[in-house]
Amino acid sequence: MQASEHSALAVLSEISSAVVHERNVKALLDKVLEILHRKMGMLRGAFTLRQGDVFTIEASHGLAAQEKKLGRYHLGEGVTGQVAASGIPEIVPDISKDKRFLNRTKARGGRNAKVAFLCVPVFREERVVGTLSIDRPGGDEEELRDGLQLLEIIGGITAEAVAVRRAELEEREGLLEENKRLRIALEKSGTPGELVGRCRSMQKVFALIHQVAPSAATVLIRGSSGTGKELVANAIHQLSPRVKGPFVAVNCAALPENLVESELFGHERGAFTGAYNRRIGRAEAADGGTVFLDEIGELSLPVQVKLLRFIQDRTFSRVGGNAEIKADVRLLAATSRNLEELMAQGKFREDLYYRLNIFPIILPDLKNRRSDIMILAEHFIAQFNIKYNKQVRRLSTPSINMLMSYHWPGNVRELENCIEHAVLTASDDCIHGYNLPASLQTGKESGTELLPEGKASFNTMVASYERELIVEAIKRNNGNMSAAGRDLGLSPRVMHYKVNLYGIEPKWYKT
């Protein structure tokens, strides 16, 4: 089939369509050769691509295995320098001397059959990146020259497409490698235990946990109620050499004052009314492991004296007993109270404070780590989906605004309770604003009310709707403000102005 019987535009149109729709490099090259076979009557053909100084056949049509091997060559090795009709030097493997090639060529159409061999270098950015060569039925000089020019155009189109596909592949592989590297780094020095957070203050906390965990040092964990002090203590235990030992937690604030000492150190039979049997304390039960004293600031002064002795010597006596008992435990303590103020008031022993405060870890309030609110919310959603057999996948924009605007006096514990409530009340795969507790839905509590009197003017309602549109666009574009601006048809200058005007933080909406 002669090339003159077909329009060059039709060939280019079909190849352009393949370039647009085919993402795989090998499949694209095979498709181009198939079009050349069908439209130009190509008998055999091959695409070679340059890898350094080596040209390798990436796709072929009608070549046997032995002939494909001839297509791998280095620059300067087995290359014939022929001049094409276009005047551009051809770079082709010297297969004309291969007898098997010549015999098969003759066998195809007999001794008098004319077979033309066309080969063009494939250029990109003035550099040879490959070759496109074909065997086709012979013709006059003008027809072959036209076919050669068409191959040059096809080679240029294909080279650009291949370069784009390879760049995409390299970028994807780079991202995957970076993701793998970050995951390994995270496993080695990242989030310990069940803690969740990416903000700078939490990263410092994680670093301190990794630093102190291997040692036997006493740790004092400080932070407001609900910030996750017990999770930090548990993470330290999990990363310590005592991980196979018990982790015993004691909430000092939850125990009556007259029972704290018995709970910690145990009691002998008959030590007090109701002590019918000997009972070992938490310190003794944690032998070989870790004992965690939560809300240590609530201990009475007499118990503080005994605790001080226990910290110094790791020895104690049960209530009502005289025997000295030694326990091999690591002590972790936590408090939400201001111990310095308690010392000034004479309610907390100064010597005990300095014994406990060897390695302090201070947890930030949730209101000071707002970038972690959405991460924590998604973490709790995943937990409660499993617990309650739900399929909640996302949060609506109004609910995100409520979560981000609320001041969270109860910290992470309050956020966890809010998400649990929202997951339970959600009727579809989305948490809406009305699924959140009432304290977050009122503008006064969450800090999102439009007007103190509750009356919204026309301009206020328009501004509110405009803000909602911008937030939805930013969320849809994964926090990318430029892409959101393009979606809304806003220039970068106007987009920045609106974002600043409405106090929108694009980073809140990044997944």
Side-chain angles (χ1 to χ4, degrees), residues 454-475:
K455 298 178 182 178
S457 66
F458 174 76
N459 290 336
T460 300
M461 289 189 289
V462 171
S464 177
Y465 181 64
E466 187 176 51
R467 184 184 191 280
E468 223 25 61
L469 288 176
I470 293 173
V471 168
E472 278 292 344
I474 292 175
K475 182 181 176 183

Side-chain angles (χ1 to χ4, degrees), residues 307-319:
L307 180 61
L308 177 63
R309 181 189 169 209
F310 173 67
I311 294 174
Q312 289 175 335
D313 305 325
R314 293 297 191 269
T315 60
F316 61 92
S317 299
R318 298 191 188 102
V319 177

